[in-house]
Amino acid sequence: LAPFAESVAARFDAWIAAKATAGTTFTDEQATWLSLIRDHIATSLSIEADDLDLSPFNQRGGLGKAHQLFGERLPDLLNELNEALAA
């Protein structure tokens, strides 16, 4: 069996590829945040909006910055990543 973190990374890569195929692109800063979210899910099994006020997210502006970067899509994005990566 592959370690959970490796499985999460593979599912994340597939999710990013599917998004690109669907025409969704992310800025470099959004991609950095998505990688941090991926890493959080790999260690904590899920992510909630409140987690974005914890380290390492708080060092990059926390929940407020995440809202600034992803806007109204943030809650759906977190749910989608939880489902796609922790399945």
Side-chain angles (χ1 to χ4, degrees):
L1 294 173
F4 185 68
E6 289 179 21
S7 298
V8 168
R11 287 191 289 268
F12 179 77
D13 291 344
W15 181 83
I16 289 288
K19 288 294 185 185
T21 299
T24 301
T25 58
F26 298 103
T27 67
D28 289 344
E29 192 171 16
Q30 287 173 325
T32 297
W33 272 76
L34 291 170
S35 294
L36 292 171
I37 291 168
R38 174 203 61 207
D39 294 347
H40 183 87
I41 291 172
T43 58
S44 301
L45 306 180
S46 68
I47 191 160
E48 302 299 327
D50 290 346
D51 295 330
L52 299 176
D53 279 329
L54 304 174
S55 182
F57 306 105
N58 63 351
Q59 298 163 0
R60 295 179 178 269
L63 182 57
K65 182 64 173 184
H67 274 291
Q68 180 183 5
L69 288 172
F70 297 105
E72 294 177 6
R73 301 181 318 174
L74 183 62
D76 291 337
L77 183 68
L78 294 178
N79 288 334
E80 186 177 338
L81 286 167
N82 279 325
E83 290 177 16
L85 304 186

